[in-house]
Amino acid sequence: VVERRPLSHLRRTIAERMALSATLIPHVTHFDRADITELDAFIRRNLDAGRARGVTLTLTSFLLRASALALGEHPQFNASLDAAAGELILKRYVHVGVAVATERGLIVPVLRDVDKKPLLELQRELGALAQRVREGKATLEDLRGGTFTITNIGALGGTGAIPIINHPEVAILGVARAREEAVVRDGAIVPRLLLPLSLTFDHRVADGADGARFASAIVHRLENPDTLLLGL
């Protein structure tokens, strides 16, 4: 016995975009882990202070900030490729999409000028944008113009994933669930909170060494929260 179910308009759109990306782009993925022990402690310490200002601090806002700053140093990942012209189109703005799971399917709203905004503003915008998406009230402007994408599946579990690039972008950052693990530091075994990351990028515009350096730039900022607050 089989059952045929028509695909929703959103699911058909997702299917078409994913097939296009997988067909056109030679994907390669670099894996890394960030020690977010200090960052997690900072978030926990400041939850009440954030709520007093109308926001609930989450890891995603720090991921947005870290990625935006790293993109400033590695602009080839904040770009699109014009293969016909043989040109890489570098974007001088940083508009980051954040994948949001909804009952209707995966939707990627975009936060604009992420590199120019402080953490609390990013968190406030992220919360409002995600709420609009889940309520089906997102506008076309909310969903277009991204230059880089973050997909965080940590709340759903798993140890990692290899996401498909959101064409015509050239890179996407996948984030899994952070787990406390035993780590050797200065000859002693200590518990540290490690966050798995996967950076998938277009191999036509960057090589493995480029991807490793870009991922390391994100990891460095997550491991040093002061750099996210100061924008260094």
Side-chain angles (χ1 to χ4, degrees):
V1 178
V2 298
E3 177 184 0
R4 286 180 175 264
R5 292 184 179 179
L7 295 177
S8 67
H9 176 71
L10 176 60
R11 179 50 59 186
R12 289 199 303 270
T13 301
I14 293 172
E16 291 168 1
R17 291 183 62 84
M18 293 300 98
L20 177 67
S21 177
T23 301
L24 292 179
I25 300 175
H27 287 56
V28 61
T29 301
H30 176 84
F31 296 94
D32 211 330
R33 293 196 298 177
D35 183 339
I36 61 167
T37 308
E38 279 78 20
L39 176 55
D40 183 67
F42 175 86
I43 293 173
R44 292 176 185 275
R45 283 197 310 269
N46 290 279
L47 279 175
D48 290 340
R51 290 187 181 117
R53 300 180 66 173
V55 298
T56 300
L57 286 176
T58 67
L59 175 62
T60 303
S61 60
F62 291 86
L63 289 166
L64 282 164
R65 183 77 172 143
S67 298
L69 293 173
L71 286 167
E73 296 177 348
H74 302 271
Q76 72 266 45
F77 293 98
N78 192 61
S80 59
L81 177 66
D82 186 340
E87 295 177 343
L88 186 63
I89 304 169
L90 301 171
K91 312 295 174 66
R92 300 305 183 190
Y93 49 88
V94 180
H95 297 347
V96 182
V98 178
V100 176
T102 73
E103 293 181 354
R104 296 174 294 126
L106 190 68
I107 300 177
V108 185
V110 176
L111 285 90
R112 285 169 162 69
D113 299 314
V114 174
D115 56 324
K116 299 176 182 177
K117 295 175 180 175
L119 272 164
L120 285 182
E121 184 176 348
L122 287 176
Q123 186 65 66
R124 188 174 290 110
E125 287 189 16
L126 176 63
L129 194 55
Q131 183 174 350
R132 288 202 299 275
V133 167
R134 293 191 175 103
E135 292 176 351
K137 298 179 180 178
T139 66
L140 183 60
E141 189 66 17
D142 288 333
L143 305 177
R144 66 183 179 187
T147 61
F148 182 76
T149 296
I150 297 173
T151 177
N152 186 351
I153 61 169
L156 303 175
T159 59
I162 301 176
I164 294 178
I165 296 167
N166 190 13
H167 181 271
E169 298 168 17
V170 298
I172 182 170
L173 181 70
V175 184
R177 175 177 293 178
R179 286 179 169 82
E180 195 171 56
E181 299 184 27
V183 175
V184 177
R185 302 191 85 186
D186 299 322
I189 298 176
V190 295
R192 305 293 292 181
L193 189 63
L194 301 183
L195 181 70
L197 303 172
S198 58
L199 176 70
T200 299
F201 57 94
D202 188 335
H203 213 338
R204 296 174 299 175
V205 306
D207 296 324
D210 302 315
R213 283 189 284 265
F214 177 45
S216 293
I218 296 174
V219 169
H220 170 73
R221 287 180 168 83
L222 294 174
E223 292 185 342
N224 297 274
D226 288 348
T227 65
L228 298 176
L229 301 174
L230 299 174
L232 300 176

